[in-house]
C-alpha cells in the first residue's frame, strides 16, 4: 500500500513538473510572440518612414519642375511685355500727352 502511495506521489510530482514546463513554455511563447510583433511593428514603421521620405522627395522634385515652368513662362511674358513697351512707348506717351492737353492727332 505504501508503495502505491509513493507511486501516486511520484505521478503527482511528474504531473506538477509537466504543468510547470507547460506554463514556462506558454510564457516563453508569449514573450517570443510579443518580441516578434514588436519587431514587425518597428519594421513597418521604418518602411513607412522610408516611403514618406521617398514620396516627399518626389513631390519636391515635381514642385521644383512646376516652379521652373512658371518661371520660364514669367520670363517669356516679361520679355514680351518689354518688347511691346519698347515698340509702343512713344505712341503711348504721345497718346497720353494728347489726352491730357486735349490735342487731337490724326
Amino acid at each position: 500500500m505504501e508503495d502505491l502511495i509513493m507511486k501516486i506521489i511520484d505521478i503527482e510530482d511528474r504531473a506538477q513538473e509537466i504543468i510547470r514546463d507547460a506554463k514556462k513554455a506558454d510564457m516563453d511563447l508569449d514573450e517570443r510572440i510579443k518580441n516578434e510583433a514588436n519587431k514587425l511593428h518597428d519594421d513597418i514603421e521604418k518602411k513607412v518612414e522610408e516611403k514618406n521620405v521617398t514620396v516627399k522627395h518626389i513631390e519636391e522634385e515635381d514642385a521644383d519642375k512646376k516652379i521652373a515652368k512658371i518661371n520660364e513662362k514669367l520670363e517669356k511674358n516679361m520679355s514680351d511685355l518689354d518688347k511691346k513697351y519698347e515698340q509702343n512707348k512713344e505712341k503711348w506717351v504721345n497718346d497720353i500727352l494728347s489726352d491730357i492737353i486735349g490735342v487731337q492727332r490724326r
Side-chain angles (χ1 to χ4, degrees), residues 80-90 92-93:
D80 291 348
L81 188 59
D82 284 342
K83 286 178 189 173
K84 190 170 188 174
Y85 169 76
E86 287 301 322
Q87 292 171 351
N88 294 305
K89 68 180 176 184
E90 289 297 321
W92 292 339
V93 167

Side-chain angles (χ1 to χ4, degrees), residues 53-92:
V53 168
T54 301
V55 167
K56 181 179 178 185
H57 181 69
I58 290 169
E59 287 178 349
E60 286 174 349
E61 285 180 351
D62 187 47
D64 289 343
K65 288 176 184 175
K66 288 178 181 177
I67 289 170
K69 285 182 181 180
I70 290 169
N71 284 336
E72 282 179 29
K73 190 172 182 179
L74 175 64
E75 292 208 14
K76 183 188 178 312
N77 288 343
M78 289 299 291
S79 176
D80 291 348
L81 188 59
D82 284 342
K83 286 178 189 173
K84 190 170 188 174
Y85 169 76
E86 287 301 322
Q87 292 171 351
N88 294 305
K89 68 180 176 184
E90 289 297 321
K91 179 186 178 303
W92 292 339

Side-chain angles (χ1 to χ4, degrees), residues 5 18-19 24 29 35 40 54-56 59 68 80 87 95:
I5 293 174
I18 291 170
I19 290 171
K24 183 178 182 319
L29 180 61
N35 289 338
L40 287 171
T54 301
V55 167
K56 181 179 178 185
E59 287 178 349
D80 291 348
Q87 292 171 351
D95 288 348

